[in-house]
């Protein structure tokens, strides 16, 4: 794979990009057994800021707990290693950080956690934010259903869950849409592959509630807070019907990677005026000001990468590559 960064952190060491390998017979390769996080760091005026890092790492810990993955390194060590990785790569622009905890080689058939190697790696690559407003997207309702908590828990950010996302996304693209929205087993709205869905109807912002077979999105929670506290809007978390998407004033998807992407048609029916709506626009402006460190009140959501520098390296006992 083309080199996107000089280093990757793997099981306690900083290794060169090309040296970060797992064996083909590892559980992570054969059965996709791993959990991960997708985290953005944004370039601000004085520093690079990791957005809601603690919340992402807490979710990684939850994913590990549900799948009974023993950490090879604790969450604090992984957190510090991620920051140090960005510094070693000397990334100063928008960066995408991905810690992953995986099952490697061992006696896979025993299902005894003590008999398999559980490791962790972290990648950091430069990934520009989509700050510039992209054109609104045309989505469909997928004929695939969202996986559910009784089978493959969606609130666990597990690699294998993305098989469900891929089925929906590839189908949507082949059928000429930009993307898709998945319904739950009960026909209610769940989420998009890789992002949550929010809508506006009248003076209410609506989000499918946390038990809607969604990943409990940190961006969704951020936007709920901002819509309520900054825009003064009423926010309701509840079940959402498919046809509400057709008659909504605004629909958007949100997630760390996607940020906030307006959806201007669903199943070829225009959403609202068929243009990007005012609430999505205002939330986007606010969001990008906050992630860039421009809003003091939300500075606690940001973890500076370079401000703390060498102390972190010394504390975590990490060796230079
Ligand atoms: N749902 C799924 C399935 C996702 O993969 C993501 C991206 N992590 C999201 C929702 C959005 O979550 P977050 O805002 O925490 O990135």
């Amino acid at each position: 794979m083309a080199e996107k960064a000089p280093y990757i952190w793997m099981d306690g060491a900083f290794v060169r990009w090309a040296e970060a390998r797992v064996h083909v017979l590892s559980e992570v390769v054969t059965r996709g057994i791993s959990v991960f996080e997708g985290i953005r760091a944004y370039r601000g005026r004085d520093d690079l800021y990791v957005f809601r890092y603690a919340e992402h790492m807490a979710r990684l810990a939850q994913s590990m707990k549900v799948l009974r993955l023993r950490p090879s390194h604790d969450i604090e060590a992984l957190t510090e290693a991620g920051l140090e990785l960005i510094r070693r790569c000397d990334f100063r622009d928008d960066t995408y950080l991905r810690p992953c905890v995986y099952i490697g080689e061992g006696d896979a058939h025993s299902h005894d956690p003590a008999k398999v190697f559980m490791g962790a790696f972290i990648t950091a690559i430069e990934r520009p934010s989509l700050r510039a407003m992209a054109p609104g997207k045309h989505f469909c309702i997928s004929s695939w259903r969202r996986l559910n908590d009784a089978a493959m828990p969606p609130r666990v950010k597990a690699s294998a869950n993305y098989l469900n996302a891929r089925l929906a996304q590839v189908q949507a693209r082949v059928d000429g849409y930009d993307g898709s929205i998945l319904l739950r087993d009960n026909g209610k709205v769940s989420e998009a592959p890789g992002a949550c869905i929010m809508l506006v109807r009248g003076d209410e912002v609506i989000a499918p509630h946390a038990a809607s077979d969604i990943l409990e999105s940190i961006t969704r929670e951020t936007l709920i807070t901002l819509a309520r506290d900054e825009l003064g809007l009423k926010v309701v978390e509840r079940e959402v019907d498919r046809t509400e998407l057709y008659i909504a004033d605004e629909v958007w998807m949100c997630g760390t990677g996607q940020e906030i992407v307006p959806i201007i048609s669903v199943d070829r029916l225009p959403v609202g005026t068929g243009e990007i709506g005012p609430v999505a626009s205002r939330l986007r402006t606010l969001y990008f000001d906050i992630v860039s460190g421009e809003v003091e009140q939300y500075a606690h959501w940001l973890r500076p990468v370079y401000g703390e520098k060498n102390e972190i390296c010394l504390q975590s006992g990490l060796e230079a590559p």
Side-chain angles (χ1 to χ4, degrees):
M1 186 181 273
E3 183 174 307
K4 291 190 173 171
Y7 301 112
I8 285 175
W9 183 91
M10 193 157 190
D11 299 320
F14 293 94
V15 298
R16 291 271 171 197
W17 176 272
E19 307 301 318
R21 298 195 187 109
V22 291
H23 196 272
V24 290
L25 262 185
S26 298
E27 280 290 273
V28 62
V29 177
T30 54
R31 297 192 181 86
I33 309 223
S34 65
V35 294
F36 68 103
E37 274 302 316
I39 305 163
R40 272 190 188 268
Y42 288 93
R43 191 187 52 171
R45 205 171 294 164
D46 308 323
D47 211 321
L48 194 65
Y49 299 110
V50 186
F51 186 60
R52 307 203 68 174
Y53 199 15
E55 290 84 348
H56 278 282
M57 296 310 277
R59 191 171 65 187
L60 183 68
Q62 287 168 5
S63 296
M64 289 163 64
K65 182 175 186 186
V66 176
L67 289 190
R68 298 175 196 272
L69 294 176
R70 256 185 304 104
S72 57
H73 292 77
D74 64 23
I75 287 294
E76 288 70 32
L78 292 176
T79 303
E80 303 307 347
L83 291 173
E84 183 55 18
L85 176 65
I86 299 175
R87 290 187 204 118
R88 291 203 184 203
C89 293
D90 199 28
F91 288 150
R92 307 273 165 170
D93 231 318
D94 298 345
T95 295
Y96 191 67
L97 194 62
R98 180 171 278 179
C100 175
V101 174
Y102 67 99
I103 299 194
E105 294 174 60
D107 184 358
H109 296 289
S110 76
H111 294 295
D112 179 348
K115 292 187 179 159
V116 286
F117 174 77
M118 293 188 196
F121 61 81
I122 308 171
T123 57
I125 58 169
E126 287 187 316
R127 181 174 175 186
S129 155
L130 310 166
R131 278 183 183 87
M133 180 71 99
K137 303 284 181 193
H138 301 280
F139 271 43
C140 63
I141 301 296
S142 182
S143 57
W144 295 98
R145 289 290 157 120
R146 181 71 179 140
L147 43 79
N148 71 57
D149 192 64
M152 292 182 70
R155 68 168 51 73
V156 172
K157 195 167 168 61
S159 307
N161 284 0
Y162 289 83
L163 178 61
N164 182 229
R166 181 180 162 77
L167 286 167
Q169 204 62 354
V170 172
Q171 184 70 59
R173 292 284 164 82
V174 166
D175 291 347
Y177 295 94
D178 297 321
S180 61
I181 297 168
L182 289 141
L183 303 180
R184 304 173 57 205
D185 287 342
N186 67 359
K188 306 291 179 186
V189 174
S190 179
E191 62 177 349
C196 277
I197 293 292
M198 296 176 76
L199 54 149
V200 176
R201 289 190 64 192
D203 57 2
E204 281 186 358
V205 175
I206 303 165
H209 61 53
S212 301
D213 294 326
I214 60 171
L215 180 73
E216 291 184 12
S217 155
I218 291 156
T219 319
R220 170 187 173 280
E221 195 263 323
T222 300
L223 297 183
I224 287 174
T225 304
L226 298 181
R228 228 176 237 156
D229 298 351
E230 302 303 323
L231 304 189
L233 296 170
K234 186 175 172 207
V235 182
V236 190
E237 297 175 65
R238 61 163 171 82
E239 284 198 321
V240 173
D241 281 330
R242 170 184 191 149
T243 48
E244 292 191 84
L245 299 171
Y246 299 156
I247 60 171
D249 300 305
E250 296 185 43
V251 179
W252 63 81
M253 67 170 175
C254 64
T256 301
Q258 307 295 328
E259 301 170 314
I260 303 154
V261 177
I263 295 170
I264 54 170
S265 79
V266 178
D267 289 341
R268 303 284 178 220
L269 291 168
V271 172
T273 59
E275 305 284 331
I276 296 170
V279 179
S281 297
R282 289 169 71 199
L283 284 174
R284 277 183 109 254
T285 304
L286 201 51
Y287 186 80
F288 289 122
D289 284 349
I290 289 170
V291 298
S292 318
E294 302 290 333
V295 186
E296 186 56 35
Q297 191 190 340
Y298 291 101
H300 60 283
W301 280 348
L302 306 177
R303 178 96 187 243
V305 173
Y306 290 96
E308 306 164 359
K309 279 196 274 238
N310 300 328
E311 277 171 39
I312 297 286
C313 189
L314 294 175
Q315 278 166 14
S316 59
L318 297 169
E319 295 296 325

